[in-house]
């Protein structure tokens, strides 16, 4: 039996297996051949001892699912060894008092009972009824963006469409409909890039400035809602604070920042990834044109095929075991959601994009207590965005003379630019 991080004997030399940056989008080879690399790791070292990053990388579906559902493993990087990759990922460099607000660990890095307390308050905004109530506004905004594209031959789909829709939806949910979509999108990207463990001083400074700017906007909104409540998420959090003293002002501001960053960047990536997959598979696009009723299933296949959050991590707070394999206190376990979704033991022909596939139990939104809180809203946004786009521009295609630009940030999969022809 293997300890997590030990390697099984194979006929091939394991010194040839990629580790460290070679297993992140910073590597051009990985960027272009992610699933080929995952296939090799799954076959030769499904529990890869990645000494360079101080972690064990998992690529088998059952291992990944067991990890993200394991109740004894932590998401808090403070339990990881000091030299590990996760300690560097979590070290934002933001200090308390930054921008009139303290930096609070994001929800995805909170364990119970703090995680349960915060999530229970936030989840009220993502009930099926609440999300469905946003449908008309999301459809209206998507159509307005499409109207702006009329008469144009080429666009960057991320800048003109996939980027603004999720940002606008989150601002609407918070009651900030008059706020600048462009500003919040730029700040979100700067904060997201700031979680790169090898970020430059320039990226770190942009993180700091974006965090301060966004925090000030939310601080003002919290103060305004306390004086004049509205029917929006910020008002609901203020009411919860006053009724049961469950959230401090700093927590509300931090949660709004987290929701903005996580709720719009990854959904934007999913829209871009999904459109790219359709354009790379014209038979599937034609099938969706002919059968719009397949849209919901198509979005699930997009989540399986190219999920925007490619991997997640767990840390052992004490000696334990996973799938019968011992793990030691301080061990970091990186569970590749992307690799798990392409495991042939779980999904037949996993590298084929098939919008009629049975996608049950894909891990595109994770699983367990940390399953994506905003999944219902993200699904709705992507379903609307895809359906409206291909209906308005049925001749949509990739531009042969302009290459898409992939996001080069560890843990994420998406496009920063996706040039397309509308006609």
């Amino acid at each position: 039996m293997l300890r997590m991080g030990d390697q099984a004997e194979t006929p091939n030399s394991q010194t040839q297996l990629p580790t460290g940056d070679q297993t992140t989008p910073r590597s051009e080879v990985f960027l272009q051949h992610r699933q080929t690399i995952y296939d090799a790791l799954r076959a030769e070292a499904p529990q890869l001892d990645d000494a360079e990053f101080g972690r064990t990388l998992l690529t088998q579906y059952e291992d990944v699912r067991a990890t993200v559902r394991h109740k004894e493993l932590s998401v808090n990087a403070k339990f990881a060894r000091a030299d590990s990759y996760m300690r560097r990922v979590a070290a934002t460099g933001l200090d308390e008092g930054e921008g009139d607000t303290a930096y609070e660990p994001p929800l995805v890095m909170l364990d119970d009972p703090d995680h349960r307390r915060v999530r229970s308050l936030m989840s009220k905004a993502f009930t099926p009824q609440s999300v469905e109530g946003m449908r008309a506004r999301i459809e209206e905004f998507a159509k307005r963006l499409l109207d702006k594209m009329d008469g144009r031959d080429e666009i960057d789909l991320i800048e003109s469409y996939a980027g603004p829709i999720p940002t606008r939806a989150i601002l609407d949910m918070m009651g900030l409909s008059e706020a600048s979509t462009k500003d919040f999108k730029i700040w979100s990207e700067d904060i997201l890039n700031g979680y790169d463990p090898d970020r430059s001083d320039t990226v770190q400074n942009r993180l700091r400035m974006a965090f301060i700017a966004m925090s000030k906007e939310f601080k003002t909104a919290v103060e305004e809602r306390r004086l004049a409540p509205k029917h929006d998420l910020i008002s609901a959090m203020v009411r919860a604070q006053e009724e049961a003293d469950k959230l401090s002002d700093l927590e509300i501001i931090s949660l709004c920042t987290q929701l903005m960053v996580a709720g719009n960047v990854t959904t934007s990536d999913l829209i871009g990834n999904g459109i790219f997959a359709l354009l790379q598979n014209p038979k599937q696009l034609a099938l969706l044109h002919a059968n719009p009723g397949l849209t919901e299933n198509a979005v699930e296949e997009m989540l399986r095929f190219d999920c925007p959050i490619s991997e997640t991590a767990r840390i052992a707070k004490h000696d334990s075991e996973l799938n019968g394999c011992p793990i030691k206190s301080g061990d970091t376990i990186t569970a590749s959601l992307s690799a798990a979704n392409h495991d042939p033991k779980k999904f037949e022909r996993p590298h084929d994009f098939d919008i009629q596939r049975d996608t049950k139990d894909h891990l595109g939104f994770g699983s367990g207590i940390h399953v994506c809180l905003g999944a219902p809203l993200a699904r709705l946004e992507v379903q609307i965005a895809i359906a409206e786009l291909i209906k308005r521009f049925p001749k949509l295609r990739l531009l042969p003379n302009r290459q898409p630009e992939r996001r080069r940030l560890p843990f994420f999969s998406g496009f920063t630019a996706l040039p397309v022809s509308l006609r």
Side-chain angles (χ1 to χ4, degrees):
M1 183 177 295
L2 298 177
R3 182 181 75 80
M4 298 300 290
D6 290 344
Q7 299 298 304
E9 293 295 329
T10 67
N12 299 319
S13 170
Q14 297 205 9
T15 59
Q16 301 300 312
L17 293 175
T19 61
D21 271 350
Q22 294 174 316
T23 59
T24 77
R26 279 197 288 264
S27 161
E28 185 66 31
V29 174
F30 181 86
L31 204 62
Q32 300 300 325
H33 305 285
R34 181 192 305 257
Q35 294 306 331
T36 301
I37 290 172
Y38 282 151
D39 285 347
L41 292 178
R42 195 184 302 110
E44 299 183 38
Q47 299 168 352
L48 178 72
D49 182 9
D50 184 358
E52 186 175 343
F53 278 178
R55 65 175 183 172
T56 296
L57 175 61
L58 306 181
T59 49
Q60 290 187 141
Y61 179 90
E62 290 301 331
D63 284 345
V64 170
R65 186 174 185 273
T67 298
V68 297
R69 296 178 69 85
H70 200 296
K71 295 182 179 180
E72 298 302 316
L73 295 175
S74 174
V75 294
N76 193 329
K78 74 178 183 181
F79 294 112
R81 281 189 285 272
D83 61 346
S84 72
Y85 190 57
M86 279 309 298
R87 287 289 282 272
R88 287 190 285 145
V89 170
T92 62
L94 291 169
D95 301 320
E96 291 192 5
E98 204 69 75
D100 295 324
T101 181
Y103 170 76
E104 296 283 336
L107 184 61
V108 294
M109 291 185 180
L110 287 179
D111 294 327
D112 284 341
D114 289 334
H115 172 264
R116 187 186 305 113
R117 174 180 66 90
V118 174
R119 189 181 178 102
S120 66
L121 291 169
M122 297 291 290
S123 63
K124 296 174 183 177
F126 296 99
T127 63
Q129 183 178 4
S130 298
V131 170
E132 185 59 32
M134 298 182 67
R135 179 182 293 273
R137 296 198 297 278
I138 296 171
E139 288 177 343
E140 177 187 357
F141 189 61
K143 289 175 180 177
R144 289 210 307 265
L145 290 172
L146 293 170
D147 288 344
K148 293 180 180 179
M149 299 178 200
D150 279 337
R152 299 179 62 181
D153 294 326
E154 302 175 359
I155 61 161
D156 175 357
L157 194 71
I158 304 302
E159 180 183 20
S160 299
Y161 191 65
I165 289 177
T167 310
R168 186 76 264 157
I170 296 296
L171 288 172
D172 238 26
M173 176 181 282
M174 292 180 175
L176 299 174
S177 57
E178 302 305 314
S180 168
T181 302
K182 184 176 181 180
D183 284 345
F184 274 91
K185 182 63 178 174
I186 292 172
W187 294 336
S188 297
E189 288 284 347
D190 287 346
I191 291 172
L192 186 77
N193 288 326
Y195 284 94
D196 185 341
D198 295 319
R199 56 192 171 274
S200 66
D201 289 342
T202 299
V203 171
Q204 176 66 29
N205 188 57
R206 290 181 68 91
L207 162 67
R208 186 182 298 275
M209 293 300 102
F211 187 83
I212 291 172
M214 195 181 289
S215 293
K216 286 181 176 178
E217 293 286 334
F218 290 135
K219 184 175 186 289
T220 299
V222 168
E223 292 169 349
E224 290 175 349
R225 297 308 187 276
R226 184 167 288 113
L227 296 174
K230 298 180 180 181
H231 296 290
D232 57 44
L233 179 58
I234 294 178
S235 296
M237 287 193 284
V238 170
R239 281 195 298 272
Q241 175 193 50
E242 294 175 347
E243 291 170 4
D245 194 29
K246 288 186 176 181
L247 289 173
S248 68
D249 277 11
L250 299 181
E251 284 181 311
I252 294 175
I253 295 166
S254 182
L255 283 170
C256 288
T257 303
Q258 295 165 35
L259 182 60
M260 175 56 63
V261 176
N264 86 70
V265 175
T266 55
T267 305
S268 171
D269 286 350
L270 180 56
I271 295 171
N273 294 353
I275 291 294
F276 184 73
L278 285 171
L279 298 182
Q280 289 278 73
N281 295 271
K283 290 183 179 180
Q284 296 297 304
L285 178 57
L287 181 60
L288 189 56
H289 273 300
N291 300 275
L294 287 172
T295 300
E296 288 188 17
N297 204 72
V299 171
E300 297 308 305
E301 174 65 348
M302 293 166 188
L303 277 161
R304 184 203 69 82
F305 189 74
D306 192 359
C307 49
I309 297 180
S310 59
E311 57 187 41
T312 186
R314 299 290 187 271
I315 298 98
K317 292 190 290 185
H318 47 72
D319 292 352
S320 182
E321 69 171 35
L322 177 69
N323 274 0
C325 298
I327 50 180
K328 293 184 177 181
S329 177
D331 280 356
T332 295
I333 303 166
T334 301
S336 174
L337 306 175
S338 180
N341 284 334
H342 282 254
D343 187 340
K345 291 182 179 178
K346 177 63 180 179
F347 298 103
E348 186 178 354
R349 299 175 291 101
H351 302 329
D352 290 353
F353 180 71
D354 180 2
I355 65 172
Q356 293 180 296
R357 176 194 298 278
D358 178 3
T359 58
K360 183 181 178 182
D361 296 331
H362 73 71
L363 299 176
F365 282 129
S367 187
I369 65 170
H370 285 280
V371 67
C372 177
L373 177 64
L377 178 59
R379 283 187 165 100
L380 179 64
E381 292 176 66
V382 180
Q383 290 164 13
I384 291 171
I386 299 289
E388 294 293 339
L389 177 67
I390 67 172
K391 180 171 65 176
R392 180 75 69 93
F393 297 107
K395 295 183 179 180
L396 187 74
R397 58 186 175 85
L398 294 172
L399 286 168
N401 59 333
R402 292 179 60 192
Q403 291 299 311
E405 296 176 14
R406 278 276 187 182
R407 189 182 295 284
R408 293 179 177 270
L409 188 64
F411 291 93
F412 295 91
S413 177
F415 291 92
T416 55
L418 184 57
V420 295
S421 171
L422 299 175
R423 310 182 187 287

